[in-house]
Each structure stands twice: as structure tokens, then as C-alpha cells.
Amino acid sequence: MLRLSHAMKAVSYLAIISLLGVGLFVPIAQAGLIGTEAIVNAADAHSDRDRVKKLLAREDIRNQLLALGVDPDEAGARVQGMTDSEAQTLAGKLDQLPAGGGVVEAVLIVFLVLLFTDIMGFTDVFPFVNKPAR
Amino acid sequence: MLTSRRAELGLRRAFLLALTGAVLTGCSATLPVEQRMSLPGLPERVELTEVPFYSQDDHQCGPASLAMALNWAGARTTPERLVPQIYLPARHGSLQPELLVATRRLGYLGYVLEPGLDSVLLELAAGHPVVVMQNRGLGWYPVWHYAVAVGFDAGHQEVILRSGRQKRHVVSLRVFERTWRRAEYWALVVLPPGEMPPTARESPYIQAVLGLEQLGHWRAAALAYRAAVARWPQSLSARMGLGNSLYATGDLAGAQQAYRQATLDHPTAGVAFNNLAQTLADQGHWQEAEQAAQRAVSLGGPLLASYKETLRAILARSSQ
């Protein structure tokens, strides 16, 4: 399973790179309007290496979304809605970044510690604890 | 047998004490908490009672909080509809950037505030509810949580939240600031496009609107850029963004006006002349279009190759 997913990853990277390779021979300069993105982010030139990196970041996020239980159709839409900088932030980190869920899944000792810290006003886990004002 | 059990209990007690000790020192190191709920011109008390409330189902404070903010802003959605867009089943939660993505997919503007209490208070005073991330647990045992700040009371030093299953969770500023600081003061406003967060800075605001553009929400982007132009009249990005969004909605006259203003404010910006040239050409004003395109080419810059292409295409079309 692991080996297969590695193989699939390699294939998809190859596909991306070969697609981009085709793009390399097409003249990039186009007549007409210049988009706001190019105006705002003029500093980071859109080199081909950059484009590969960005595409790989998105592919990586999509795979991670799937691995974390997101529906395949929805995963694509979620990645598509991201800006490049968001994709860069998220790539490879979906299992580490804080995920707000708000529920404690704790063993007794943690429950007791959090209860105590709640009473002291250091935390705010349990709604039934009256926290001190100061 | 008995002694070993007693020893075990003793060990446990020592462990618990050590833990709480660590917690206390960890927190007292960051004290004193700044009590600064007093900004000049800030009202004493604000509560946005009109912000709707969605009670949180298991783990789904993200969808619930975002649904409150979006519905306040005018979208019609529910936590259930947001779950497939922002929830990560295996993580039992939602990531911050995905809240932004879901917001823009619906054509609304998500803007992450500068970290700090002042931004939140100013947004609340302007009538904007604020989605906040908190770590309601501890550094070593995080309980990540989203809530919506809907008010504050400077006199009592309290913050009013819609949180979890509580429609009105009043929490002391001290406790709120601690839990919020552990999530690096993350705060998000969700606004109908065209409404400007009073604490917005130019560059991150433009980046937020770019996200709307990217998903083809051109009308929303045009409204948001128009607000940006009103706030930062000299911003080239905002003016060009306005022109580009109007162009995309088919409003060539409006686009032309925006680009022309950009050429006046930024006479060395080739890109303004380039886009003006293209718009004039689309309107059939060939002579003017050619002049503007020539100007872009003579100004040059990193996009010179594109300016040359524009000029070439205009010359080819006008000679037909």
C-alpha cells in the first residue's frame, strides 16, 4: 500500500513535470491584460522552478487531505481555493498544524489537571467552572 | 503488595504535583497579563447581539464558528454544509487556512487580523464579529478551539463569545488572553466584499482580495478593490485590481477609468499603460490604444515582453 502510494506520487510528479516541460517551449509573453497577481507579486518572478514547486505543494496537500479522510471531490475543491502562499504554508503540515475541534479526549489525570488549571484561571476547557476575574 | 500500591499512589501524586508545578511556573512566567482594554475612542461596552448562534456538534467548532460569521455577513450556510469544506476527519478539527478558503469560496472576504487585542476590540467596535482560535488547554496538552467574539465589557474586563454549546460565554479578559495567546492571537473577520476592516493593512488586504479573484468572484473582487481604492488612493495594486475585476465583469468603461487613473498616479508603471491600451483597443479606440501601448513598451520593466506583445497585437488589429 505504502509502496503503491509512493509509486503513484512519482507518476503524478512526472506527469506534472512533463506537462510543464511542454509549457517551457510556449512563449510566455502574452498580449493583453496583465493580471493583478502578476502586478502584486511582481517580486517573486514566476520561474518554471517556482511553478513546479507550487504544483507539487498542491498535489501534496491533496494527497494529505485524502489521507486525513476528506472526500476526493471535495479535496480538489479545497486545494483549488487556496492561494499559493496558503498552499506553501500547508504543504506537508496538515497533520501538525493546530486543528480546532474544541473537544477534550482526555484520560482522568489530564482531566484533573485541566480542572485545576481551569479553577485557577489558566485554562478555559470546562464551561461548568467559574473562572476568577483576576 | 500494599506498600507497592502505596508507592504507586505516591508516585502518581508526585507526578501530578510536578505537572501542576510546571504548569504554574510556565504560566506565571508570562504574567503579568496586560490589561489594556482601553483604547482612545473605544466604547465601554459592545455586544453584537445580532450575530446568529450555531451550537457545536462533536469536534465541529470550526464549521459552527465560521457559519456564525458567514451568516452574519449575509451568506446562507450552515455548519453541516461547511463540514465537508473545512473539517479534517482524522484530525478531529479544522485548520485555520481552510476557514479562509471556505469563506472565499462563498464570495466573502476573510481577513486575518494583526495579532493582539487592539485589533479585535476595534473590529468589534466597528460591528464586526471576530472568529478567534484558542488553545483552551495547555501548551503540553492543547485543546484547540474556535469561537466567535461578539463583544467586550471594558468596565468588567470581560470578553463575550459564542463558543461551543454556549450562546453567550462571558470570560474574563485574563483567561481569554491566556487561551488566545497560546494560539498566537489568531483572529479572523468575515465580511461582505466592499466592507473594509478598520484595522486592515494594504498588503494583506490586497492578498485577501486576490484570493477572491483567483476563484472568479469578480464582482466581489471589484467591490473589495473599490473599498481599497477609497482607503489607499495611491495604491497601484488596488487600482489595477479594480480595473482588472471590472474588465472581467465586462465593464470596460469602468476598467478604462481605473487604468487611466493608475497611469496618472503612477506615470512610470508600464503595466497601467499596458492594460489601458488593451481596454482602449477592445473599445475600438485604436489610436489611443497604440499610444498607450507604445508608452508601456518605452517604460519597460520585467513585463516588457508582454507589453511588446500587446503593442504588436494592437498594430495588427488596427491595420485590418
Side-chain angles (χ1 to χ4, degrees):
Chain A
M1 185 60 204
L2 195 70
R3 201 169 279 174
L4 180 70
S5 76
H6 272 295
M8 280 168 68
K9 222 175 191 179
V11 168
S12 60
Y13 286 179
L14 270 176
I16 291 168
I17 289 163
S18 59
L19 277 173
L20 274 167
V22 173
L24 292 182
F25 302 103
V26 175
I28 291 167
Q30 279 185 325
L33 279 199
I34 290 169
T36 322
E37 221 265 321
I39 298 167
V40 174
N41 300 327
D44 63 320
H46 295 280
S47 68
D48 292 311
R49 220 177 119 197
D50 266 3
R51 284 195 293 162
V52 175
K53 245 168 81 182
K54 284 172 183 168
L55 280 172
L56 291 184
R58 283 174 191 273
E59 181 63 18
D60 181 79
I61 294 169
R62 213 183 79 87
N63 287 334
Q64 263 200 308
L65 285 173
L66 294 178
L68 293 171
V70 174
D71 179 75
D73 292 341
E74 199 52 55
R78 279 162 78 151
V79 175
Q80 204 195 346
M82 288 170 192
T83 62
D84 284 336
S85 70
E86 280 164 351
Q88 229 100 67
T89 312
L90 282 170
K93 299 200 197 94
L94 271 80
D95 50 354
Q96 297 149 36
L97 290 169
V103 175
V104 191
E105 294 151 337
V107 287
L108 184 62
I109 185 161
V110 174
F111 172 80
L112 289 174
V113 171
L114 289 179
L115 185 65
F116 175 71
T117 52
D118 249 31
I119 291 166
M120 296 295 290
F122 293 116
T123 56
D124 186 18
V125 178
F126 306 111
F128 53 81
V129 176
N130 278 323
K131 284 89 190 171
R134 357 202 109 233
Chain B
M1 183 66 196
L2 195 72
T3 44
S4 79
R5 188 173 166 77
R6 194 169 284 169
E8 192 191 324
L9 275 175
L11 260 178
R12 272 197 196 172
R13 198 166 299 154
F15 179 57
L16 184 64
L17 274 174
L19 272 183
T20 47
V23 166
L24 290 179
T25 48
C27 288
S28 32
T30 54
L31 285 174
V33 172
E34 282 177 74
Q35 306 274 340
R36 53 197 166 92
M37 232 189 213
S38 51
L39 283 171
L42 199 72
E44 174 80 3
R45 219 190 105 79
V46 167
E47 182 164 2
L48 310 176
T49 50
E50 72 277 17
V51 179
F53 174 64
Y54 290 102
S55 184
Q56 157 185 0
D57 288 335
D58 291 345
H59 306 298
Q60 301 189 340
C61 56
S65 297
L66 191 59
M68 295 186 231
L70 277 166
N71 277 283
W72 169 84
R76 292 218 175 142
T77 188
T78 60
E80 292 73 35
R81 267 187 266 167
L82 290 171
V83 165
Q85 299 189 23
I86 62 173
Y87 187 63
L88 282 178
R91 293 287 319 271
H92 300 300
S94 305
L95 305 181
Q96 291 139 310
E98 292 218 275
L99 268 62
L100 278 159
V101 174
T103 301
R104 89 171 62 104
R105 279 172 74 181
L106 286 169
Y108 285 78
L109 183 93
Y111 182 83
V112 176
L113 302 182
E114 294 286 296
L117 189 63
D118 290 358
S119 328
V120 171
L121 298 182
L122 287 167
E123 294 297 337
L124 286 170
H128 302 156
V130 183
V131 179
V132 291
M133 186 182 227
Q134 299 167 279
N135 174 1
R136 297 204 296 178
L138 296 160
W140 59 271
Y141 191 86
V143 182
W144 301 110
H145 178 66
Y146 293 105
V148 183
V150 296
F152 62 85
D153 186 327
H156 291 94
Q157 296 282 300
E158 284 169 347
V159 178
I160 305 161
L161 304 170
R162 304 244 186 284
S163 176
R165 294 178 199 277
Q166 290 173 286
K167 185 178 178 190
R168 197 168 179 281
H169 179 49
V170 181
V171 59
S172 76
L173 174 63
R174 196 191 75 159
V175 173
F176 173 73
E177 200 178 22
R178 276 187 186 139
T179 57
W180 186 40
R181 182 196 302 153
R182 289 186 206 117
E184 292 170 1
Y185 297 114
W186 191 82
L188 165 76
V189 285
V190 171
L191 298 173
E195 182 144 352
M196 175 68 77
T199 63
R201 288 189 306 120
E202 183 188 333
S203 171
Y205 179 86
I206 300 285
Q207 293 289 342
V209 187
L210 268 179
L212 282 171
E213 257 196 39
Q214 189 183 310
L215 287 178
H217 289 297
W218 293 107
R219 263 170 233 288
L223 287 168
Y225 281 127
R226 208 178 275 291
V229 161
R231 170 80 79 90
W232 304 289
Q234 291 301 313
S235 164
L236 177 65
S237 310
R239 191 73 68 180
M240 295 302 293
L242 176 60
N244 287 353
S245 326
L246 291 174
Y247 185 97
T249 61
D251 179 1
L252 294 188
Q256 194 213 108
Q257 201 187 354
Y259 297 139
R260 203 177 286 283
Q261 189 60 47
T263 64
L264 296 175
D265 295 340
H266 306 273
T268 58
V271 72
F273 288 94
N274 178 82
N275 287 14
L276 176 63
Q278 181 61 44
T279 311
L280 288 167
D282 291 333
Q283 292 173 307
H285 306 311
W286 297 108
Q287 207 178 343
E288 262 194 290
E290 192 188 322
Q291 279 172 7
Q294 293 280 13
R295 187 67 189 278
V297 170
S298 68
L299 285 166
L303 297 164
L304 177 62
S306 298
Y307 306 160
K308 280 182 174 165
E309 279 301 306
T310 307
L311 176 60
R312 199 190 51 74
I314 288 171
L315 289 174
R317 272 164 70 188
S318 62
S319 62
Q320 274 171 14

